[in-house]
Amino acid sequence: MKISFLLHNAYGIGGTITTTFNLAHALAERHEVEIVSVLRHREHPNFTLDPRVSLRPLVDLRQEKNHPLHLRPAGVFPRAEYRYGQYSELTDQRIAECLATIDADVVIGTRPGLNVHLALQAPEHVVRIGQEHLTLDNHPPRLRTTLRRAYRRLDALTTVTEADAAAYRRKMWLPGVRVEALPNSVPDPVLPAVDGSAKVVVAAGRLVPVKRYDLLIEAFAMVAAEHPDWQLRIYGKGEEHDRLRQLIMDLRLWNNVFLMGAAAPMEGEWVKGSIGAAASNFEPFGMTIVEAMRCGLPVVSTDCPYGPGEIIEDGVDGRLVPVGDRDALGAALLDLVRDDEGRRRMGRAALENARRFAPGPVVEQAERLFTEAVSARRAGRPVVQERARMHRALVSQGFAARDAAFASAGRALRMVRKGQR
């Protein structure tokens, strides 16, 4: 089977890129796999790509940033999508050309805007799989309205959590489209698991407001006050860097908290710690949580929608605390810092429980979905045969009407503001 992934920018850093590379590498054991990167801004990807996986960019920003078509707004990529400003008439054209001539059996979109391209433009013989790495409720109403129309032309839609899959089934009404939770996978560790002796807490991810590294630093101040020999190392880059550095200075934590910059891969950094930490307000999955657990670290995380609660078993392989609660986060970290044996016991449980996110189980599920979708498309039938349920249809229509009303109000407000300029 030939499988193609349609990715925003394979040359950047982020959870979607990481999990796409992980899944592509695992599938390449038995299939022909390629990654189509809409954008390219550097010579080589940040992450090492398996030589069995081909990489094909469509728009090279190093040469085409000022291309006349790239200066015109996109017409297919949804305006309400977060990345809309990076798309253009040129990306519309290149994506359409790519899909029209693609020879893959299965094409997988990896974000809402690309799923729309896939749904509308892929040829009939191609199986169309849309991936959602965010959540339905996180999308603005105007985007959800667009997705309701487009996603009906997909064969299947995968989410990274069961909670989000349930939300799509309840709120979107996509008859004939298989909606399934397919978690992100993390490769089997190469380095030995931690022994829990290092006096280091590790966190990783983009330095952006939603990740709440400010909350984590403030919570860690409780740890440093009682155990000044412990460190917090934060890996990543982003817009919050300078503000976080100032916070560290203000709290006089310069000997305890360190902004380490980006690291890829992270495994070599996880194994230098003994506790993982995540303080997000919102986390569709929690890739770094799984990465830490696969290295034997128990993780203290906010119990935010949707991912952490489906990954961490509170009190067994980590701790879950209320979102935004600095004191609860600090207390949970202190509990693990104080209890050497408990920390090691949770670390062993984390290592064992995170095996379900190993490439093997995830790839088996993906292959089963792809195979069934290919068979269904060749037979000219939907991937899932679903009886129309009046109650469910009415519920989804209610959500659709509400989103349409919010979208319409948003358009009216934008017109008013435009007229006032």
Side-chain angles (χ1 to χ4, degrees):
M1 190 175 352
K2 182 170 182 181
I3 302 165
S4 291
F5 291 88
L6 185 59
L7 188 61
H8 168 66
N9 189 340
Y11 299 82
I13 292 177
T16 300
I17 301 168
T18 302
T19 191
T20 298
F21 275 46
N22 289 345
L23 183 56
H25 293 174
L27 288 168
E29 293 281 348
R30 292 189 291 274
H31 305 280
E32 183 181 354
V33 182
E34 76 166 347
I35 295 175
V36 177
S37 180
V38 176
L39 301 176
R40 177 184 189 174
H41 69 286
R42 55 182 294 172
E43 183 65 24
H44 301 291
N46 282 288
F47 301 108
T48 302
L49 188 66
D50 189 308
R52 295 170 298 183
V53 178
S54 61
L55 177 60
R56 175 161 55 116
L58 300 182
V59 176
D60 192 331
L61 296 175
R62 297 172 301 172
Q63 286 86 40
E64 299 180 296
K65 184 177 180 180
N66 295 315
H67 189 292
L69 293 182
H70 196 54
L71 301 178
R72 300 177 187 172
V76 179
F77 196 91
R79 184 177 293 272
E81 224 266 37
Y82 170 70
R83 295 285 187 183
Y84 177 77
Q86 294 176 258
Y87 284 75
S88 65
E89 192 174 318
L90 181 63
T91 59
D92 278 357
Q93 182 184 92
R94 297 280 172 84
I95 295 170
E97 291 171 351
C98 169
L99 291 174
T101 58
I102 205 158
D103 60 350
D105 300 292
V106 177
V107 180
I108 304 162
T110 56
R111 63 176 307 111
L114 297 180
N115 294 340
V116 169
H117 272 280
L118 181 61
L120 300 179
Q121 297 174 325
E124 285 300 313
H125 69 275
V126 170
V127 167
R128 309 161 188 188
I129 309 287
Q131 284 185 345
E132 279 285 359
H133 291 277
L134 291 174
T135 68
L136 177 62
D137 291 342
N138 188 243
H139 296 324
R142 188 161 56 133
L143 180 58
R144 290 197 294 261
T145 298
T146 299
L147 300 184
R148 275 189 182 87
R149 295 191 296 266
Y151 277 11
R152 293 185 180 191
R153 301 186 62 176
L154 295 173
D155 294 285
L157 177 70
T158 67
T159 63
V160 290
T161 63
E162 290 288 351
D164 198 38
Y168 270 95
R169 295 187 194 107
R170 185 164 59 96
K171 298 179 179 180
M172 292 294 272
W173 186 237
L174 304 172
V177 179
R178 182 163 164 179
V179 179
E180 184 172 320
L182 180 69
N184 294 333
S185 70
V186 173
D188 296 323
V190 175
L191 301 173
V194 305
D195 63 8
S197 63
K199 296 181 178 182
V200 178
V201 177
V202 182
R206 292 175 299 123
L207 305 185
V208 293
V210 72
K211 298 295 186 180
R212 291 307 309 273
Y213 289 113
D214 58 335
L215 186 79
L216 178 58
I217 292 168
E218 291 171 354
F220 189 78
M222 298 167 59
V223 176
E226 184 176 312
H227 296 271
D229 53 343
W230 275 73
Q231 294 181 359
L232 169 62
R233 299 177 185 174
I234 299 173
Y235 292 85
K237 60 183 181 179
E239 64 194 68
E240 288 276 278
H241 179 274
D242 292 348
R243 191 173 79 87
L244 296 175
R245 182 173 59 183
Q246 186 59 52
L247 178 61
I248 293 167
M249 295 296 107
D250 292 344
L251 295 175
R252 304 179 69 83
L253 292 172
W254 49 75
N255 290 325
N256 299 94
V257 180
F258 301 93
L259 301 179
M260 306 293 290
M266 264 296 296
E267 183 182 345
E269 308 308 321
W270 291 121
V271 298
K272 296 174 184 175
S274 59
I275 302 172
S280 299
N281 286 341
F282 166 76
E283 197 68 71
F285 179 68
M287 192 72 171
T288 59
I289 296 174
V290 178
E291 288 178 353
M293 291 174 67
R294 294 223 69 198
C295 291
L297 280 73
V299 178
V300 177
S301 173
T302 47
D303 190 14
C304 59
Y306 285 120
E310 292 192 15
I311 300 170
I312 296 170
E313 186 175 353
D314 188 32
V316 176
D317 51 22
R319 292 291 306 278
L320 294 169
V321 301
V323 174
D325 192 330
R326 178 197 60 195
D327 293 340
L329 182 60
L333 288 169
L334 266 174
D335 286 346
L336 289 179
V337 167
R338 292 167 178 160
D339 186 357
D340 293 344
E341 180 50 40
R343 184 171 68 248
R344 293 186 176 99
R345 183 177 63 252
M346 279 194 181
R348 291 191 294 270
L351 189 65
E352 180 61 32
N353 293 346
R355 293 186 195 280
R356 68 190 189 275
F357 300 108
V362 175
V363 169
E364 286 178 10
Q365 183 184 350
E367 285 181 320
R368 182 169 61 252
L369 172 62
F370 299 163
T371 300
E372 292 173 5
V374 168
S375 297
R377 182 158 282 277
R378 289 175 179 171
R381 56 178 172 78
V383 181
V384 58
Q385 299 287 347
E386 184 175 33
R387 295 177 184 175
R389 296 175 182 171
M390 183 61 68
H391 172 70
R392 188 163 156 190
L394 289 173
V395 168
S396 63
Q397 287 173 9
F399 283 108
R402 187 182 68 178
D403 284 345
F406 277 122
S408 179
R411 282 193 298 270
L413 181 60
R414 284 191 296 274
M415 290 180 66
V416 169
R417 287 174 175 170
K418 188 176 180 180
Q420 291 175 342
R421 289 175 185 170

